[in-house]
Amino acid sequence: MSAGSIQTVVVCVPSVSATTAQQAVCARVGTQFYVPAKVQAYLLDPSRKNDIDAALGQFDYAYAAGIWTLAFSMVVGLYFVSHGIGQVLGMIRRG
């Protein structure tokens, strides 16, 4: 599912000079002229706003620390369980 599409849009780009018609479309800022130009751009679909906002939202360090702690505890716990099983199997093998 895409979040947008590639479309041709008109943007104002810096230029050394501009005609009166170009100045009517793109305002001059100080001494810098701008002229309209067509470019390809990836435009986001407005219906995907909530998904994009969620992906770009604030990072929750407390939640991430909880997940990391849970995962690390599981790895260490599985290591000890595996080590214990290995000890039991070693005792059985040695008789």
Side-chain angles (χ1 to χ4, degrees):
M1 182 186 291
S2 69
S5 61
I6 296 176
Q7 297 181 11
T8 301
V9 295
V10 177
V11 295
C12 295
V13 295
S15 178
V16 177
S17 64
T19 65
T20 305
Q22 291 172 332
Q23 288 181 13
V25 175
C26 297
R28 184 174 72 175
V29 178
T31 59
Q32 179 66 57
F33 290 100
Y34 290 89
V35 296
K38 289 192 314 185
V39 296
Q40 294 284 325
Y42 188 79
L43 299 180
L44 299 173
D45 186 5
S47 67
R48 304 294 307 244
K49 179 189 179 306
N50 291 337
D51 298 335
I52 294 166
D53 287 344
L56 299 175
Q58 290 286 334
F59 186 75
D60 189 357
Y61 290 99
Y63 181 75
I67 296 294
W68 187 90
T69 302
L70 175 67
F72 183 73
S73 300
M74 288 182 68
V75 167
V76 171
L78 288 173
Y79 169 77
F80 284 124
V81 167
S82 300
H83 183 70
I85 291 172
Q87 293 292 327
V88 170
L89 291 176
M91 273 186 359
I92 292 171
R93 187 178 67 177
R94 284 190 296 271

